Structure formats: structure tokens, C-alpha cells
């Protein structure tokens, strides 16, 4: 295993992580307003910087929301998605192909926080706060974010490849994967609602257009008119084009993503799979019927749950001074 620090200290840290951090941490060390005394303006600073960023680059809302998900699903919410290394491949390397962005913007938030309160606000917390501020800025509902996360020391590309659910996943895999992190089928459908904003490359769903069963066919569960439309943007083997995941409202946090799924226009197999389970399908139906009566609030609740995954215990980890490097 590649270690970012001296081998022995890295080994000790790994052992601590192994014994102290269950796959699903209960988030006991987290609380709303954790920085109230040590950095009272922390949340206001994050909000202000994100506001400035989105006012000039609104297309960054999707990438900035997604970073918190990728952080939490690999090693837990401890900032490993942000680490760089000159000597080994960190998680970022695995995500390169899948277009994770927004790292510089997180650095910008961190710089502003370090100026106000040096060494206080963790990078893992910054990701959680940024995700909330993006949701609000794009039309979603405010929710309280628990803070107090510690930053980890390790980031390994193979773990990201192993632990992130592929867009080709079926409902059984999706539910099992969420369940092992303490997230329910309801959380699955609600958090998939994050796809109401942002873009995708063609590659995660290209198989559904051109080669679904290996015989040059399309996915019969995907609406044929939508297939024709997607084919105009995405030629076979296209690695660069971006398409809106929620066409026409990809910068607005709304319930149109659920509408798309019900119309068999969910972009990924993993989106469409939400129709294959009674519970997730019922949730979609209910939100469409009631105009999203509970979705906006539910999203905050599920995000808080996601934000508790694998949180490091109080004495473990550190607060990085720079999000790309261990101290
Ligand atoms: C359920 C399992 C999930 C799968 C399989 C999945 C898969 C993907 C894929 C393949 C992309 C397109 C990447 C690209 O080509 O650039 C994407 C984008 C995105 N995902 Fe997910 N995702 C999942 C869950 C989530 C969750 C839980 C969130 C947040 C709550 C989220 C938020 C986003 C956002 C905002 C984007 C757009 C990023 C951008 O605009 O660059 N996803 N996802």
C-alpha cells in the first residue's frame, strides 16, 4: 500500500483507522455549530466564497455537490478525495476520467478560512458545508450541517475505483451498497436526486445507446426518443462531451430529475434502476404527485446521514492546513 508519510507512522495510523473506525460511524463527534466558538464566522465565510464562485461559474454547482458524495463513499467523510501525492496515485487519479472538478474552488474556500481562523476548519467539513451551500444556491432548501470532522492521511486510487458504485449498477447492488454505509433505500432515491443538477460525460451511459447487450443494441428501458436525442450529442467512444443530466434545468435544484426517471429518461442505469424497487418507485411517484412536497426537506436529512459515514474519531486524523496535503 502506498503511504504518504514515513512507513511506520503510516502503518500505525492505518491500524488506528482499522480498529477505531467502523464502516458506518455514528457521527457522535459531529454537531451542528461545532465551530461556534473557535471560528464563529466559518459557515458565513464558506457561503460567501461559494456565492462568489457560483456567480461567475454556475456550472461548478454540480461538481461541488458531487465532491462530498465521493469523499464520504471512499474511506468515509475525511477529505481523502482532496489529497494529492507526487509519489502514488490518490483518489483524484481514479476520478480523472469521471470528471471530478472543483478542487481549486475548495482550496479557495480553505484559504479564506485559514486567513480567518488558522488550523481550525477541516477540509472534510468544508466539503459538507459547500455541498449544502450549493443546494441552497441552486434552489434547494437550507439544512443544518453537522461539523467536527477530522481529515485523514491516506488517499488511494484503487479504493475509489472499488468503493464507488458504477453507473451501470442495478437496484440490488445500489441498495446493498448504501445499506453497508447505513443508508436506506429511501436515502438512495433521495440522494440520487442530487442528479437534478450537473452534467455527465457520454461514457457513463454510452453502453445504453450503442452496445447494451454486446450486439450493438440500445437499452430497451430507455425512452427511444431520448436515445435518439442523446445520440446527437454522444457519438460512440466520445470521451469529452458533457450533457445535462436534467436537461433544461441542470442548474436548478428541483424535482424534474424524478419526472425524467418516471418517463424512462434517467441517464444512468443506476438512475433508471430506481423504478425497479417498490419502495424507491413509490417515493418517486409520491414526489411527482405532490410537487416534491417532502423531497427538499428529505434531501437535507439524507445528506446529513451521508455526512456521518466513516467520520474519524475525535483523536484521529488532523485538520489539514492545505486540503491537498497532509500537514
Ligand atoms: C447512487 C449512486 C451514484 C452513481 C452511480 C452516480 C454516478 C454519477 C456519474 C457517472 C456522474 C457523471 C460523471 C461524469 O461523467 O462527469 C455523476 C454526476 C454527478 N453526481 Fe452522481 N452518482 C451517484 C450518486 C450521487 C449522489 C449521492 C450525489 C450527491 C448527493 C451525486 C451527485 C452528482 C452530481 C451533482 C453530478 C454532476 C457533476 C458535474 O456536474 O460535474 N451523485 N454521478
Amino acid at each position: 500500500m502506498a503511504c504518504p508519510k514515513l512507513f511506520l507512522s503510516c502503518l500505525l495510523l492505518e491500524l488506528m483507522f482499522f480498529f477505531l473506525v467502523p464502516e458506518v460511524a455514528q457521527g457522535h463527534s459531529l454537531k451542528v455549530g461545532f465551530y461556534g466558538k473557535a471560528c464563529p464566522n466559518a459557515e458565513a465565510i464558506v457561503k460567501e466564497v461559494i456565492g462568489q464562485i457560483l456567480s461567475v461559474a454556475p456550472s461548478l454547482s454540480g461538481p461541488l455537490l458531487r465532491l462530498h458524495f465521493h469523499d464520504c463513499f471512499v474511506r468515509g467523510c475525511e477529505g481523502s478525495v482532496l489529497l494529492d501525492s507526487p509519489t502514488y496515485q490518490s483518489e483524484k487519479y481514479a476520478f480523472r476520467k469521471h470528471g471530478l472538478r472543483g478542487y481549486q474552488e475548495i482550496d479557495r474556500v480553505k484559504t479564506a478560512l485559514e486567513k480567518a481562523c488558522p488550523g481550525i476548519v477541516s477540509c472534510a467539513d468544508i466539503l459538507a458545508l459547500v455541498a449544502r451551500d450549493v443546494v441552497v444556491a441552486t434552489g434547494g432548501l437550507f439544512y443544518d450541517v453537522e461539523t467536527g470532522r477530522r481529515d485523514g492521511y491516506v488517499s488511494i486510487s484503487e479504493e475509489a475505483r472499488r468503493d464507488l458504485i458504477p453507473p451501470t449498477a442495478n437496484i440490488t447492488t445500489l441498495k446493498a451498497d448504501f445499506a453497508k454505509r447505513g443508508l436506506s433505500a429511501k436515502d438512495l432515491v433521495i440522494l440520487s436526486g442530487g442528479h437534478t443538477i450537473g452534467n455527465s460525460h457520454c461514457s457513463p451511459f454510452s453502453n445504453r445507446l450503442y452496445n447494451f447487450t454486446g450486439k450493438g443494441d440500445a437499452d430497451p428501458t430507455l425512452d427511444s426518443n431520448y436515445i435518439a436525442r442523446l445520440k446527437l450529442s454522444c457519438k460512440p467512444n466520445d470521451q469529452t462531451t458533457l450533457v445535462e443530466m436534467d436537461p433544461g434545468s441542470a442548474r436548478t435544484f428541483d424535482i424534474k430529475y424524478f419526472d425524467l426517471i418516471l418517463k424512462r429518461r434517467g441517464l444512468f442505469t443506476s438512475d433508471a434502476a430506481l423504478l425497479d424497487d417498490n419502495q424507491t418507485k413509490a417515493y418517486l411517484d409520491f414526489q411527482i404527485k405532490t410537487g416534491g412536497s417532502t423531497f427538499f426537506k428529505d434531501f437535507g436529512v439524507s445528506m446529513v446521514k451521508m455526512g456521518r459515514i466513516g467520520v474519524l474519531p475525535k483523536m484521529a486524523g488532523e485538520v489539514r492546513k492545505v486540503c491537498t496535503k497532509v500537514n
Side-chain angles (χ1 to χ4, degrees):
M1 189 203 82
C3 276
K5 297 202 122 182
L6 290 174
F7 181 75
L8 194 60
S9 56
C10 180
L11 193 68
L12 284 171
L13 288 167
E14 279 295 274
L15 285 172
M16 253 170 72
F17 187 87
F18 184 78
F19 287 114
L20 295 178
V21 187
E23 183 128 32
V24 181
Q26 296 306 311
H28 292 311
S29 57
L30 301 180
K31 67 173 193 177
V32 173
F34 180 84
Y35 297 112
K37 284 201 182 110
C39 189
N41 290 331
E43 298 202 18
I45 292 169
V46 176
K47 185 179 170 208
E48 193 190 334
V49 178
I50 287 302
Q52 288 164 2
I53 289 167
L54 294 182
S55 68
V56 290
S59 68
L60 283 173
S61 57
L64 288 170
L65 170 60
R66 190 176 173 218
L67 275 176
H68 183 42
F69 160 59
H70 276 236
D71 186 34
C72 294
F73 269 55
V74 184
R75 280 191 169 257
C77 314
E78 39 68 87
S80 54
V81 69
L82 301 172
L83 282 174
D84 276 333
S85 167
T87 52
Y88 66 100
Q89 294 185 348
S90 64
E91 288 173 30
K92 275 181 188 177
Y93 189 89
F95 300 147
R96 220 184 266 170
K97 203 172 90 192
H98 306 288
L100 273 195
R101 292 185 292 145
Y103 296 115
Q104 284 172 349
E105 287 67 26
I106 298 297
D107 290 345
R108 205 170 131 187
V109 175
K110 179 63 169 168
T111 303
L113 286 166
E114 285 297 301
K115 209 169 149 196
C117 341
I120 300 292
V121 183
S122 70
C123 298
D125 277 346
I126 292 175
L127 292 175
L129 292 167
V130 165
R132 187 267 311 279
D133 291 344
V134 161
V135 168
V136 175
T138 51
L141 213 58
F142 178 90
Y143 55 93
D144 282 321
V145 172
E146 294 174 342
T147 41
R149 291 172 192 81
R150 308 277 297 169
D151 295 325
Y153 304 103
V154 179
S155 174
I156 302 167
S157 64
E158 290 86 60
E159 290 186 349
R161 289 196 194 95
R162 180 194 68 201
D163 293 347
L164 279 162
I165 312 162
T168 49
N170 63 24
I171 193 68
T172 313
T173 306
L174 287 161
K175 280 172 75 176
D177 206 281
F178 270 58
K180 81 177 184 204
R181 294 174 166 91
L183 299 172
S184 65
K186 183 177 172 188
D187 295 319
L188 166 65
V189 62
I190 292 166
L191 291 172
S192 297
H195 289 170
T196 176
I197 59 171
N199 299 302
S200 171
H201 291 84
C202 298
S203 46
F205 58 89
S206 187
N207 67 318
R208 302 186 78 199
L209 309 181
Y210 294 110
N211 204 11
F212 193 61
T213 64
K215 293 178 188 155
D217 53 344
D219 183 346
T221 68
L222 187 58
D223 172 65
S224 54
N225 293 324
Y226 199 42
I227 291 177
R229 194 165 134 191
L230 287 169
K231 278 183 167 177
L232 294 176
S233 307
C234 294
K235 300 297 169 205
N237 304 317
D238 182 333
Q239 299 294 330
T240 51
T241 304
L242 286 172
V243 299
E244 294 185 337
M245 299 195 295
D246 182 354
S249 77
R251 289 182 185 173
T252 311
F253 194 94
D254 55 24
I255 57 158
K256 288 201 191 121
Y257 163 80
F258 292 154
D259 196 27
L260 282 173
I261 293 180
L262 289 168
K263 290 180 173 148
R264 299 196 298 120
R265 291 177 168 218
L267 202 53
F268 309 134
T269 300
S270 60
D271 296 319
L274 301 177
L275 290 173
D276 300 338
D277 175 82
N278 288 342
Q279 209 183 346
T280 52
K281 166 90 165 50
Y283 187 85
L284 296 174
D285 286 334
F286 178 74
Q287 297 307 327
I288 294 303
K289 247 183 241 150
T290 60
S293 67
T294 60
F295 170 62
F296 295 94
K297 190 164 164 282
D298 290 345
F299 192 78
V301 173
S302 292
M303 285 292 277
V304 169
K305 269 178 89 177
M306 184 177 86
R308 292 175 184 160
I309 298 173
V311 168
L312 294 174
K314 265 185 202 157
M315 302 310 289
E318 63 179 4
V319 172
R320 273 180 228 145
K321 294 191 180 90
V322 175
C323 289
T324 52
K325 284 191 274 196
V326 293
N327 292 340

